[in-house]
Amino acid sequence: MSNDNLRLPNPNPNPEGMLAIPVKKTDPVDLHRPLRKLVARKYSESDAEKVESVLETLNKCRSDMVERGDLSLPKLRDCLIHYFKCLCMVEPLFTAISSDADPILFVWYDAFSSGKECWVPYQPNCIQLEKAAVVFNLGAVCSQIGASSERTTAHGRHLAIDAFNAAANFFLKLWKVFAKDVSATLDLTLLFAESLHCLFSAQALELNLQQQLNNNSSAFQKHRCAISFKSVSEHYRRAYDLIQSDSAAIEHVSSFDQTWITHLYQKVKFCEEEALQMRSSILPKSQLPVQACILDHDAEFVTEKFAKGICRRAYQWIPKLEGIYLDLVLSEDIPFKIIDGGKLVAHPWDMPPPYPTKFAIPSSSSSSHLLALPLKKSNPLDLYQSLRNYVVVKFSESMAKRVEGLFEMVNKLRSEMLRDDLSLPMRRDCLIRYFKCLCMIEPLFPMTTAPNPPIFVWYNAFFPKIKSSQHNIHLEKASVLFNLGALGSHIALSCDLTTIQGRRIAIDALHDASYWFLILTHEAEKASAPDLSISSAQILRRIITSQIAYLECELPHSHSHGGGYPVSLLYRKIYDLMTFGPLAGKLVQSSIPQFIESKMKTCRVQTGLDVTELFLSGYCEAQSLLREACQTPCLNLLSEVGPDKITDGILWPILEAVTSALEEMNLSGNTPMEEN
């Protein structure tokens, strides 16, 4: 990993100047051979074969990270994220390496030093140093993406803000988690980690502030600018004071770039003076608007509007901690896979989706203990022509050409979504992709000025003769969310509950269903359909929750309450809710009351943990640690292995890959609060 050809910004301090840092360099290490040997010795040869793919991908990621100097910044980010996930998966193995085994030595060099000053761990096999260095480099790469972005355009500005926020989050993780137990070079100390966190937070806030200054005509906008100047100056001040408080840090930074400290000082003084001058613009709390939109509206192109649409709803498809097991088994968008027999597959970091699942779910129910909710039906609708005509009329023919690939995708996914012959996993992927597209095109609705605006028609899931229609997109989005929730219950019902894997897939499928019904509660009010009401979504979510509790009560190593009483209590609450409301007539006729009143039967489950479970626990840890830092939807549009991207101002979902998958029927501060 070389520092020779980094695209760093001009370090001379100026009002527009943005700082970036170089990545750390390291020496090559072979990880595959010693780790595979360890697994075979500690567990078995068959276990080593189960995780062979993960170890190979781990080794390839590190090799590419170190030796490939031709990687673009987005590609290097993809590689580092993939490598970090693999590292977390194998981390438990490092505690099992015996003292007489060949040591694995990680050697990393200081990012700010041009020489070969390095620190070798006092003990071999120190994976904490490796993880800390990778997190540092993720922050460094994001800082370079932000500094090299074209910030004169709306998309470039949003990209830079996302990138600097991501860098700040990675250095926050380094400061709070990874640097604490590592004794290494100065760039991995707590002081530097906190200083870099403050620096990149300040730069992200400053870019937001620059946009606010362009719209500061109202009293509220002036209030926002005054508050923002204060916040930016505080972050710059903290970054500056941390460096100034340590003579070694001053010398280290100055040897890298003598203008850094001067740049930080000028930023601090400028922002503090502006904050002081604008202090009179701060409004008392009583004069603040009840609700204020903080999103700017300066998008030059239709593509920017679509990017904003997907960015605003990104939290709805950011990988969730609950449902990870389901995605590892079923999703074609996740590069890590569990296939039949418990074998783990880790596809290369530079391989784009779709990823084959090689896992079959029966098409008929194998359990009498779970309930599958009905799916909503809809009428066919040609969205392509309506959307394209509207963009031509509202904007221009050239703009329509920029986004017609997206409109083709929308139309194809909607048609596929209505097919009856799709398998459950493929239908789930199709619905999620379609929902992403709906979020992207939402800024166009309602298309009241269009000559023939589309009309969405959906039938009631419980009373199919009743239908609802709407020109706006809210009914369509809510119906897709409902079907995603219902589909989770169908997947759970189809699982073999007599095995650990089958039961875990069922539990994760129900967690997935519960999540989509939660999101539905935020869209339901605008949908205006009886089965899509907030109360209906809440009742359905309670049903799903009770079934999760039922399955978890007998899962080995479960943290659920014992004795079954809490599960019975959950079902009793549902029974009381079902007595009233719009779902009462249909649900009382279903099998739920009999299931509630029946004595829950014990399913025979195969027990025991193996190396696969060990790796999966590490994967879940990686997802948890990366969750905040990777919630950068605009930055994710640059990913070489993501399903959506913006290239040269043109929004281009990867239509070829999805089309191929369809033909073979193998069809990412605002997180929703949990229901009280």
Side-chain angles (χ1 to χ4, degrees), residues 473-499:
I473 202 171
H474 304 301
L475 174 63
E476 185 83 349
K477 289 176 63 183
S479 298
V480 171
L481 289 170
F482 181 99
N483 278 357
L484 277 166
L487 199 64
S489 69
H490 283 260
I491 293 174
L493 184 66
S494 300
C495 292
D496 181 2
L497 301 184
T498 64
T499 67

PDB file of all heavy atoms in Angstrom, residues 473-499:
ATOM      1  N   ILE A 473     -47.132   8.317  -4.659  1.00  0.00           N
ATOM      2  CA  ILE A 473     -46.321   7.106  -4.569  1.00  0.00           C
ATOM      3  C   ILE A 473     -46.431   6.414  -3.218  1.00  0.00           C
ATOM      4  O   ILE A 473     -45.944   5.305  -3.031  1.00  0.00           O
ATOM      5  CB  ILE A 473     -44.847   7.462  -4.868  1.00  0.00           C
ATOM      6  CG1 ILE A 473     -44.063   6.220  -5.312  1.00  0.00           C
ATOM      7  CG2 ILE A 473     -44.209   8.156  -3.671  1.00  0.00           C
ATOM      8  CD1 ILE A 473     -42.680   6.543  -5.829  1.00  0.00           C
ATOM      9  N   HIS A 474     -47.111   7.039  -2.240  1.00  0.00           N
ATOM     10  CA  HIS A 474     -47.129   6.507  -0.884  1.00  0.00           C
ATOM     11  C   HIS A 474     -47.850   5.161  -0.800  1.00  0.00           C
ATOM     12  O   HIS A 474     -47.413   4.269  -0.059  1.00  0.00           O
ATOM     13  CB  HIS A 474     -47.783   7.513   0.066  1.00  0.00           C
ATOM     14  CG  HIS A 474     -47.124   8.855   0.055  1.00  0.00           C
ATOM     15  ND1 HIS A 474     -45.785   9.029   0.371  1.00  0.00           N
ATOM     16  CD2 HIS A 474     -47.600  10.098  -0.249  1.00  0.00           C
ATOM     17  CE1 HIS A 474     -45.469  10.306   0.267  1.00  0.00           C
ATOM     18  NE2 HIS A 474     -46.552  10.975  -0.107  1.00  0.00           N
ATOM     19  N   LEU A 475     -48.940   4.992  -1.518  1.00  0.00           N
ATOM     20  CA  LEU A 475     -49.643   3.710  -1.517  1.00  0.00           C
ATOM     21  C   LEU A 475     -48.744   2.606  -2.072  1.00  0.00           C
ATOM     22  O   LEU A 475     -48.714   1.485  -1.552  1.00  0.00           O
ATOM     23  CB  LEU A 475     -50.935   3.808  -2.341  1.00  0.00           C
ATOM     24  CG  LEU A 475     -51.708   2.501  -2.536  1.00  0.00           C
ATOM     25  CD1 LEU A 475     -52.197   1.962  -1.196  1.00  0.00           C
ATOM     26  CD2 LEU A 475     -52.884   2.706  -3.495  1.00  0.00           C
ATOM     27  N   GLU A 476     -48.005   2.916  -3.131  1.00  0.00           N
ATOM     28  CA  GLU A 476     -47.104   1.944  -3.730  1.00  0.00           C
ATOM     29  C   GLU A 476     -45.997   1.541  -2.749  1.00  0.00           C
ATOM     30  O   GLU A 476     -45.716   0.350  -2.558  1.00  0.00           O
ATOM     31  CB  GLU A 476     -46.482   2.533  -5.001  1.00  0.00           C
ATOM     32  CG  GLU A 476     -45.604   1.577  -5.789  1.00  0.00           C
ATOM     33  CD  GLU A 476     -46.392   0.663  -6.709  1.00  0.00           C
ATOM     34  OE1 GLU A 476     -47.635   0.610  -6.591  1.00  0.00           O
ATOM     35  OE2 GLU A 476     -45.757  -0.015  -7.541  1.00  0.00           O
ATOM     36  N   LYS A 477     -45.387   2.511  -2.104  1.00  0.00           N
ATOM     37  CA  LYS A 477     -44.316   2.210  -1.160  1.00  0.00           C
ATOM     38  C   LYS A 477     -44.833   1.407   0.031  1.00  0.00           C
ATOM     39  O   LYS A 477     -44.207   0.425   0.453  1.00  0.00           O
ATOM     40  CB  LYS A 477     -43.670   3.506  -0.670  1.00  0.00           C
ATOM     41  CG  LYS A 477     -42.822   4.223  -1.708  1.00  0.00           C
ATOM     42  CD  LYS A 477     -42.292   5.538  -1.172  1.00  0.00           C
ATOM     43  CE  LYS A 477     -41.372   5.346   0.009  1.00  0.00           C
ATOM     44  NZ  LYS A 477     -40.916   6.627   0.579  1.00  0.00           N
ATOM     45  N   ALA A 478     -45.975   1.812   0.577  1.00  0.00           N
ATOM     46  CA  ALA A 478     -46.531   1.116   1.739  1.00  0.00           C
ATOM     47  C   ALA A 478     -46.899  -0.320   1.387  1.00  0.00           C
ATOM     48  O   ALA A 478     -46.708  -1.238   2.191  1.00  0.00           O
ATOM     49  CB  ALA A 478     -47.747   1.871   2.274  1.00  0.00           C
ATOM     50  N   SER A 479     -47.432  -0.534   0.191  1.00  0.00           N
ATOM     51  CA  SER A 479     -47.818  -1.890  -0.225  1.00  0.00           C
ATOM     52  C   SER A 479     -46.590  -2.781  -0.394  1.00  0.00           C
ATOM     53  O   SER A 479     -46.611  -3.970  -0.048  1.00  0.00           O
ATOM     54  CB  SER A 479     -48.613  -1.830  -1.531  1.00  0.00           C
ATOM     55  OG  SER A 479     -49.811  -1.101  -1.364  1.00  0.00           O
ATOM     56  N   VAL A 480     -45.504  -2.220  -0.936  1.00  0.00           N
ATOM     57  CA  VAL A 480     -44.269  -2.987  -1.081  1.00  0.00           C
ATOM     58  C   VAL A 480     -43.711  -3.348   0.299  1.00  0.00           C
ATOM     59  O   VAL A 480     -43.258  -4.474   0.537  1.00  0.00           O
ATOM     60  CB  VAL A 480     -43.230  -2.203  -1.903  1.00  0.00           C
ATOM     61  CG1 VAL A 480     -41.868  -2.897  -1.869  1.00  0.00           C
ATOM     62  CG2 VAL A 480     -43.708  -2.052  -3.342  1.00  0.00           C
ATOM     63  N   LEU A 481     -43.761  -2.403   1.240  1.00  0.00           N
ATOM     64  CA  LEU A 481     -43.306  -2.680   2.603  1.00  0.00           C
ATOM     65  C   LEU A 481     -44.146  -3.773   3.248  1.00  0.00           C
ATOM     66  O   LEU A 481     -43.619  -4.658   3.937  1.00  0.00           O
ATOM     67  CB  LEU A 481     -43.363  -1.398   3.443  1.00  0.00           C
ATOM     68  CG  LEU A 481     -42.323  -0.324   3.109  1.00  0.00           C
ATOM     69  CD1 LEU A 481     -42.645   0.972   3.834  1.00  0.00           C
ATOM     70  CD2 LEU A 481     -40.920  -0.794   3.469  1.00  0.00           C
ATOM     71  N   PHE A 482     -45.468  -3.711   3.047  1.00  0.00           N
ATOM     72  CA  PHE A 482     -46.359  -4.747   3.586  1.00  0.00           C
ATOM     73  C   PHE A 482     -45.955  -6.118   3.035  1.00  0.00           C
ATOM     74  O   PHE A 482     -45.844  -7.101   3.774  1.00  0.00           O
ATOM     75  CB  PHE A 482     -47.809  -4.432   3.231  1.00  0.00           C
ATOM     76  CG  PHE A 482     -48.801  -5.427   3.771  1.00  0.00           C
ATOM     77  CD1 PHE A 482     -49.511  -5.160   4.931  1.00  0.00           C
ATOM     78  CD2 PHE A 482     -49.027  -6.631   3.123  1.00  0.00           C
ATOM     79  CE1 PHE A 482     -50.427  -6.083   5.440  1.00  0.00           C
ATOM     80  CE2 PHE A 482     -49.931  -7.557   3.614  1.00  0.00           C
ATOM     81  CZ  PHE A 482     -50.630  -7.286   4.776  1.00  0.00           C
ATOM     82  N   ASN A 483     -45.735  -6.186   1.729  1.00  0.00           N
ATOM     83  CA  ASN A 483     -45.391  -7.469   1.112  1.00  0.00           C
ATOM     84  C   ASN A 483     -44.024  -7.979   1.558  1.00  0.00           C
ATOM     85  O   ASN A 483     -43.815  -9.186   1.662  1.00  0.00           O
ATOM     86  CB  ASN A 483     -45.459  -7.359  -0.412  1.00  0.00           C
ATOM     87  CG  ASN A 483     -46.880  -7.514  -0.927  1.00  0.00           C
ATOM     88  OD1 ASN A 483     -47.812  -7.761  -0.156  1.00  0.00           O
ATOM     89  ND2 ASN A 483     -47.065  -7.370  -2.224  1.00  0.00           N
ATOM     90  N   LEU A 484     -43.091  -7.064   1.827  1.00  0.00           N
ATOM     91  CA  LEU A 484     -41.804  -7.493   2.366  1.00  0.00           C
ATOM     92  C   LEU A 484     -41.987  -8.135   3.741  1.00  0.00           C
ATOM     93  O   LEU A 484     -41.367  -9.153   4.063  1.00  0.00           O
ATOM     94  CB  LEU A 484     -40.842  -6.309   2.455  1.00  0.00           C
ATOM     95  CG  LEU A 484     -40.101  -5.951   1.169  1.00  0.00           C
ATOM     96  CD1 LEU A 484     -39.447  -4.577   1.290  1.00  0.00           C
ATOM     97  CD2 LEU A 484     -39.045  -7.008   0.841  1.00  0.00           C
ATOM     98  N   GLY A 485     -42.857  -7.527   4.561  1.00  0.00           N
ATOM     99  CA  GLY A 485     -43.146  -8.102   5.866  1.00  0.00           C
ATOM    100  C   GLY A 485     -43.842  -9.441   5.758  1.00  0.00           C
ATOM    101  O   GLY A 485     -43.472 -10.414   6.426  1.00  0.00           O
ATOM    102  N   ALA A 486     -44.856  -9.509   4.902  1.00  0.00           N
ATOM    103  CA  ALA A 486     -45.591 -10.761   4.728  1.00  0.00           C
ATOM    104  C   ALA A 486     -44.685 -11.850   4.170  1.00  0.00           C
ATOM    105  O   ALA A 486     -44.785 -13.023   4.551  1.00  0.00           O
ATOM    106  CB  ALA A 486     -46.786 -10.536   3.802  1.00  0.00           C
ATOM    107  N   LEU A 487     -43.780 -11.469   3.274  1.00  0.00           N
ATOM    108  CA  LEU A 487     -42.883 -12.447   2.660  1.00  0.00           C
ATOM    109  C   LEU A 487     -41.966 -13.085   3.703  1.00  0.00           C
ATOM    110  O   LEU A 487     -41.648 -14.279   3.626  1.00  0.00           O
ATOM    111  CB  LEU A 487     -42.048 -11.767   1.575  1.00  0.00           C
ATOM    112  CG  LEU A 487     -41.395 -12.685   0.543  1.00  0.00           C
ATOM    113  CD1 LEU A 487     -42.450 -13.410  -0.274  1.00  0.00           C
ATOM    114  CD2 LEU A 487     -40.486 -11.887  -0.370  1.00  0.00           C
ATOM    115  N   GLY A 488     -41.544 -12.293   4.695  1.00  0.00           N
ATOM    116  CA  GLY A 488     -40.733 -12.852   5.768  1.00  0.00           C
ATOM    117  C   GLY A 488     -41.456 -13.958   6.504  1.00  0.00           C
ATOM    118  O   GLY A 488     -40.850 -14.976   6.874  1.00  0.00           O
ATOM    119  N   SER A 489     -42.764 -13.797   6.706  1.00  0.00           N
ATOM    120  CA  SER A 489     -43.528 -14.850   7.385  1.00  0.00           C
ATOM    121  C   SER A 489     -43.647 -16.092   6.507  1.00  0.00           C
ATOM    122  O   SER A 489     -43.656 -17.219   7.008  1.00  0.00           O
ATOM    123  CB  SER A 489     -44.918 -14.319   7.764  1.00  0.00           C
ATOM    124  OG  SER A 489     -45.734 -14.104   6.615  1.00  0.00           O
ATOM    125  N   HIS A 490     -43.715 -15.925   5.186  1.00  0.00           N
ATOM    126  CA  HIS A 490     -43.757 -17.068   4.271  1.00  0.00           C
ATOM    127  C   HIS A 490     -42.430 -17.838   4.304  1.00  0.00           C
ATOM    128  O   HIS A 490     -42.420 -19.072   4.290  1.00  0.00           O
ATOM    129  CB  HIS A 490     -44.043 -16.599   2.847  1.00  0.00           C
ATOM    130  CG  HIS A 490     -45.486 -16.253   2.601  1.00  0.00           C
ATOM    131  ND1 HIS A 490     -46.361 -17.103   1.972  1.00  0.00           N
ATOM    132  CD2 HIS A 490     -46.193 -15.138   2.923  1.00  0.00           C
ATOM    133  CE1 HIS A 490     -47.563 -16.528   1.896  1.00  0.00           C
ATOM    134  NE2 HIS A 490     -47.476 -15.331   2.470  1.00  0.00           N
ATOM    135  N   ILE A 491     -41.308 -17.093   4.327  1.00  0.00           N
ATOM    136  CA  ILE A 491     -39.993 -17.749   4.384  1.00  0.00           C
ATOM    137  C   ILE A 491     -39.855 -18.531   5.684  1.00  0.00           C
ATOM    138  O   ILE A 491     -39.391 -19.681   5.694  1.00  0.00           O
ATOM    139  CB  ILE A 491     -38.868 -16.710   4.249  1.00  0.00           C
ATOM    140  CG1 ILE A 491     -38.888 -16.090   2.844  1.00  0.00           C
ATOM    141  CG2 ILE A 491     -37.503 -17.336   4.517  1.00  0.00           C
ATOM    142  CD1 ILE A 491     -37.911 -14.942   2.657  1.00  0.00           C
ATOM    143  N   ALA A 492     -40.277 -17.927   6.797  1.00  0.00           N
ATOM    144  CA  ALA A 492     -40.191 -18.612   8.089  1.00  0.00           C
ATOM    145  C   ALA A 492     -41.025 -19.885   8.093  1.00  0.00           C
ATOM    146  O   ALA A 492     -40.605 -20.930   8.598  1.00  0.00           O
ATOM    147  CB  ALA A 492     -40.642 -17.675   9.199  1.00  0.00           C
ATOM    148  N   LEU A 493     -42.217 -19.814   7.521  1.00  0.00           N
ATOM    149  CA  LEU A 493     -43.112 -20.969   7.500  1.00  0.00           C
ATOM    150  C   LEU A 493     -42.520 -22.119   6.693  1.00  0.00           C
ATOM    151  O   LEU A 493     -42.804 -23.296   6.957  1.00  0.00           O
ATOM    152  CB  LEU A 493     -44.465 -20.559   6.907  1.00  0.00           C
ATOM    153  CG  LEU A 493     -45.571 -21.612   6.884  1.00  0.00           C
ATOM    154  CD1 LEU A 493     -46.002 -21.965   8.297  1.00  0.00           C
ATOM    155  CD2 LEU A 493     -46.752 -21.125   6.068  1.00  0.00           C
ATOM    156  N   SER A 494     -41.693 -21.802   5.713  1.00  0.00           N
ATOM    157  CA  SER A 494     -41.147 -22.821   4.824  1.00  0.00           C
ATOM    158  C   SER A 494     -39.883 -23.481   5.354  1.00  0.00           C
ATOM    159  O   SER A 494     -39.352 -24.387   4.715  1.00  0.00           O
ATOM    160  CB  SER A 494     -40.836 -22.193   3.458  1.00  0.00           C
ATOM    161  OG  SER A 494     -42.000 -21.647   2.877  1.00  0.00           O
ATOM    162  N   CYS A 495     -39.370 -23.030   6.496  1.00  0.00           N
ATOM    163  CA  CYS A 495     -38.099 -23.533   7.004  1.00  0.00           C
ATOM    164  C   CYS A 495     -38.286 -24.821   7.805  1.00  0.00           C
ATOM    165  O   CYS A 495     -39.320 -25.049   8.426  1.00  0.00           O
ATOM    166  CB  CYS A 495     -37.426 -22.476   7.885  1.00  0.00           C
ATOM    167  SG  CYS A 495     -36.879 -21.025   6.985  1.00  0.00           S
ATOM    168  N   ASP A 496     -37.243 -25.623   7.805  1.00  0.00           N
ATOM    169  CA  ASP A 496     -37.220 -26.847   8.601  1.00  0.00           C
ATOM    170  C   ASP A 496     -36.814 -26.481  10.026  1.00  0.00           C
ATOM    171  O   ASP A 496     -35.643 -26.230  10.311  1.00  0.00           O
ATOM    172  CB  ASP A 496     -36.221 -27.835   7.990  1.00  0.00           C
ATOM    173  CG  ASP A 496     -36.156 -29.149   8.757  1.00  0.00           C
ATOM    174  OD1 ASP A 496     -36.917 -29.297   9.739  1.00  0.00           O
ATOM    175  OD2 ASP A 496     -35.360 -30.019   8.375  1.00  0.00           O
ATOM    176  N   LEU A 497     -37.766 -26.469  10.938  1.00  0.00           N
ATOM    177  CA  LEU A 497     -37.517 -26.015  12.299  1.00  0.00           C
ATOM    178  C   LEU A 497     -36.845 -27.072  13.169  1.00  0.00           C
ATOM    179  O   LEU A 497     -36.584 -26.830  14.351  1.00  0.00           O
ATOM    180  CB  LEU A 497     -38.826 -25.576  12.955  1.00  0.00           C
ATOM    181  CG  LEU A 497     -39.588 -24.452  12.249  1.00  0.00           C
ATOM    182  CD1 LEU A 497     -40.811 -24.051  13.045  1.00  0.00           C
ATOM    183  CD2 LEU A 497     -38.691 -23.242  12.019  1.00  0.00           C
ATOM    184  N   THR A 498     -36.567 -28.238  12.627  1.00  0.00           N
ATOM    185  CA  THR A 498     -35.906 -29.281  13.414  1.00  0.00           C
ATOM    186  C   THR A 498     -34.388 -29.172  13.358  1.00  0.00           C
ATOM    187  O   THR A 498     -33.691 -29.965  13.980  1.00  0.00           O
ATOM    188  CB  THR A 498     -36.321 -30.679  12.919  1.00  0.00           C
ATOM    189  OG1 THR A 498     -35.869 -30.853  11.571  1.00  0.00           O
ATOM    190  CG2 THR A 498     -37.828 -30.838  12.986  1.00  0.00           C
ATOM    191  N   THR A 499     -33.864 -28.195  12.609  1.00  0.00           N
ATOM    192  CA  THR A 499     -32.416 -27.978  12.545  1.00  0.00           C
ATOM    193  C   THR A 499     -32.088 -26.576  13.029  1.00  0.00           C
ATOM    194  O   THR A 499     -32.925 -25.664  12.971  1.00  0.00           O
ATOM    195  CB  THR A 499     -31.881 -28.141  11.111  1.00  0.00           C
ATOM    196  OG1 THR A 499     -32.410 -27.080  10.293  1.00  0.00           O
ATOM    197  CG2 THR A 499     -32.292 -29.482  10.531  1.00  0.00           C
TER     198      THR A 499
END
